[in-house]
Amino acid sequence: YLLTGPLETSNQWYAIAKISGIKLIESIRNQFNKDYVSLMPTNLYGPGDNYDLKTSHVLPALIRKFNDAKEKNLDKVEIETTKIGDHYDAEKKRVRVLEQRMGKKSLTSISIVCHEIGHALQDEYDYKLLGLRQTLVKKTLWIQYLGSGIFYVGLPVILATGMPSLIFVCLGIALVASIVNILIHLVTLPVEFDASFNRAMPILSENVPEHYLGHCKSILKAAAYTYLAGSLISIFNVRNLLILFRSIRR
């Protein structure tokens, strides 16, 4: 409430002048029974104003955000719940988040939601690696399914047939699928880091207290490194397939 605490030291002179005006109107209202009020159009904006999201006043920052969203068509991006994992659907412009995550206010939930919004920002900024990843996934989805089926389900049965030509063909398909997975994961890794630290962290920095930001960074790092783990698994799969291929040839 007004005059219940010390003045802010950086603008105390402006504050005294402002308070004097308020008190003048208050005294006229009381002494002369006038229906006067103090109208304070604070945070005015206009040409030459500061619209920086970190240093501006509230109203200019909001105008900046509204303008950016309109220019980037982010007003068309919707957030909805899903049961199949957090992801951004570039075709339908949807950020999809697990149902149990949407209702929580934990740092993990907030960080993951911002990360997926980061992918929406990448899409609107035409981030090239995101487009490359989407193209690779679409073009190679069939070989990945086929390779996974052979490697994890059908390979023991195929080996049991003792037919060298069939075994070599199936091993070749599984090998190609594993190499494709490595390529996709290597492209995905910078995409995830960009979404986390170049897109999500600025959002978090504006809305999360500073002493929690270190935890948010750790959560985003862990999410990004899952793709590095996927790359390593694919590399081990290639190694194992090559060893198996050589042993059969002997």
Side-chain angles (χ1 to χ4, degrees):
Y1 295 96
L2 191 63
L3 298 178
T4 58
L7 299 175
E8 209 286 315
T9 55
S10 67
N11 63 0
Q12 55 185 323
W13 307 274
Y14 163 74
I16 289 172
K18 189 173 179 180
I19 292 168
S20 299
I22 295 170
K23 287 300 178 181
L24 175 62
I25 296 300
E26 184 181 317
S27 65
I28 294 173
R29 182 185 180 93
N30 293 335
Q31 184 175 354
F32 300 103
N33 197 28
K34 298 292 185 180
D35 190 19
Y36 290 172
V37 295
S38 297
L39 179 63
M40 293 179 286
T42 57
N43 293 345
L44 289 175
Y45 62 94
D49 201 351
N50 176 21
Y51 292 91
D52 187 270
L53 295 178
K54 292 185 178 180
T55 60
S56 69
H57 289 297
V58 174
L59 194 55
L62 286 174
I63 292 171
R64 166 75 181 276
K65 289 182 179 180
F66 295 151
N67 184 67
D68 286 353
K70 187 66 177 177
E71 287 184 350
K72 299 165 190 170
N73 291 324
L74 288 180
D75 53 336
K76 298 178 181 178
V77 176
E78 297 183 8
I79 300 178
E80 59 187 29
T81 59
T82 182
K83 295 181 180 179
I84 59 173
D86 309 303
H87 65 282
Y88 170 65
D89 187 334
E91 291 185 356
K92 297 184 178 179
K93 306 297 181 186
R94 299 284 193 275
V95 171
R96 295 198 171 102
V97 184
L98 290 172
E99 290 181 1
Q100 61 268 30
R101 205 185 299 286
M102 278 292 279
K104 291 183 178 179
K105 296 181 180 179
S106 67
L107 288 177
T108 299
S109 296
I110 293 169
S111 299
I112 296 301
V113 171
C114 288
H115 173 82
E116 298 306 330
I117 292 173
H119 285 310
L121 289 169
Q122 288 176 329
D123 190 21
E124 293 302 329
Y125 276 112
D126 194 25
Y127 184 62
K128 300 301 182 184
L129 287 179
L130 178 67
L132 176 60
R133 182 182 73 171
Q134 292 169 342
T135 301
L136 281 173
V137 170
K138 285 182 181 179
K139 298 288 187 182
T140 63
L141 195 59
W142 66 274
I143 189 70
Q144 292 182 64
Y145 283 141
L146 185 58
S148 297
I150 291 172
F151 190 76
Y152 293 108
V153 180
L155 193 57
V157 176
I158 294 167
L159 290 173
T161 63
M163 298 173 60
S165 57
L166 178 61
I167 293 172
F168 287 140
V169 169
C170 292
L171 284 178
I173 293 172
L175 183 61
V176 171
S178 296
I179 293 172
V180 167
N181 276 329
I182 293 173
L183 180 60
I184 290 173
H185 281 119
L186 290 177
V187 172
T188 296
L189 195 59
V191 171
E192 296 301 316
F193 269 96
D194 180 80
S196 289
F197 300 108
N198 294 337
R199 321 284 177 168
M201 276 308 301
I203 300 173
L204 291 166
S205 298
E206 293 174 26
N207 298 282
V208 174
E210 187 175 355
H211 55 279
Y212 288 130
L213 290 178
H215 299 289
C216 294
K217 286 182 180 179
S218 298
I219 293 165
L220 292 174
K221 279 183 181 178
Y225 278 127
T226 57
Y227 292 92
L228 178 60
S231 299
L232 293 175
I233 291 171
S234 295
I235 290 170
F236 280 119
N237 285 343
V238 169
R239 173 182 172 275
N240 293 334
L241 284 169
L242 288 173
I243 292 173
L244 182 59
F245 190 83
R246 288 171 182 172
S247 65
I248 293 173
R249 287 190 65 182
R250 292 174 185 173

